[in-house]
Amino acid sequence: MAIMWVSVTAVGVTYGASIMVVTLKIDRESLSHVIKTGISVWSGVMVVLLIGNTLRLLLRRLRSIGVRFWTPANCFEGPVEA
């Protein structure tokens, strides 16, 4: 999974560099703003993925040593009123 994100990031950087090379000097100011915004958004996405994958890994490790959290099987245990 990490290799995929590295390759997608590399393609994005290459695409951005090629756009910057072919952009006229007059339009470089607005392109710079767009690139900065894109980098900020991409960094945010990567942070969300990092946090999500870290939590998933932590839950798997805790389950493997016997710590149980919410499971669908015991969610509805208890008296049921009709």
Side-chain angles (χ1 to χ4, degrees):
M1 178 96 114
I3 293 173
M4 181 189 69
W5 286 107
V6 169
S7 65
V8 169
T9 303
V11 168
V13 167
T14 304
Y15 184 68
S18 65
I19 288 177
M20 186 170 282
V21 167
V22 298
T23 302
L24 298 175
K25 290 185 179 183
I26 303 169
D27 299 326
R28 291 250 171 111
E29 182 77 27
S30 62
L31 180 64
S32 172
H33 178 68
V34 169
I35 289 175
K36 288 177 186 176
T37 303
I39 289 172
S40 298
V41 169
W42 186 254
S43 298
V45 168
M46 296 305 275
V47 166
V48 167
L49 286 172
L50 177 68
I51 291 171
N53 285 329
T54 302
L55 289 175
R56 185 175 56 115
L57 179 66
L58 180 64
L59 288 175
R60 281 188 180 182
R61 297 289 173 148
L62 289 174
R63 285 184 191 139
S64 71
I65 62 171
V67 178
R68 295 284 176 197
F69 292 99
W70 177 83
T71 57
N74 65 9
C75 179
F76 297 107
E77 289 180 0
V80 177
E81 296 180 20

